[in-house]
Amino acid sequence: MVVGICGGYQMLGQTVNDPDGIEGSISSLPGLGLLPISTTMTPEKTTRQVCFEFNGQTCQGYEIHQGISDTDQAVMQTDHCIGTYIHGFLDNAPVIEHILEKFKIKNAKCKMQSYADFKEEQYDKLADHVRQHVNMEQIYKILTNHD
């Protein structure tokens, strides 16, 4: 499986065109030809938070890229290739489950966890550890005592 995000997505297509010389002096280069898209560089940069559907589930990420590709699809996919402008794409459990699907052991029970849930779990563990080893009452007392 090949996954291209942002500039990697653009390179997976048929061509990357830069007629105005935004990225340099080369006006057009062939892509790897793995996806049926062409990209044209533009002076405007796209920056936005996005929600997208992947395998029937809502996922989220963000876009920050220059250039426009000739497709409206948030995620373009073939049998062995996925391309998207969405950063954080791989932080979504449905995406990881899809990519790792063929590596699953039959009858094995495992649940993917989203990156956001994993981070929250790690913060909770850190907070528990700090509470166990730091005198928080004394810290709060120092913070509120302005002598």
Side-chain angles (χ1 to χ4, degrees), residues 28-79:
S28 184
L29 281 173
L32 295 172
L34 298 175
L35 292 174
I37 64 162
S38 289
T39 300
T40 301
M41 302 310 289
T42 59
E44 300 83 31
K45 185 170 263 190
T46 298
T47 57
R48 63 183 176 170
Q49 299 285 327
V50 295
C51 288
F52 63 98
E53 292 291 317
F54 192 86
N55 283 353
Q57 297 184 47
T58 301
C59 300
Q60 53 189 345
Y62 65 96
E63 290 183 23
I64 180 166
H65 63 88
Q66 215 149 342
I68 298 173
S69 297
D70 56 1
T71 181
D72 291 335
Q73 294 175 266
V75 179
M76 181 166 282
Q77 184 172 320
T78 64
D79 288 341

Side-chain angles (χ1 to χ4, degrees), residues 113-130:
Q113 183 179 34
S114 75
Y115 182 64
D117 290 345
F118 174 77
K119 277 193 338 187
E120 205 52 45
E121 184 179 283
Q122 299 312 303
Y123 289 139
D124 290 344
K125 287 179 182 179
L126 176 61
D128 290 344
H129 185 78
V130 169

Side-chain angles (χ1 to χ4, degrees), residues 1 27 39 42 52 58 63 84 101 104 127 131:
M1 176 67 70
S27 63
T39 300
T42 59
F52 63 98
T58 301
E63 290 183 23
T84 184
E101 175 105 15
K104 281 187 180 177
R131 283 188 205 98

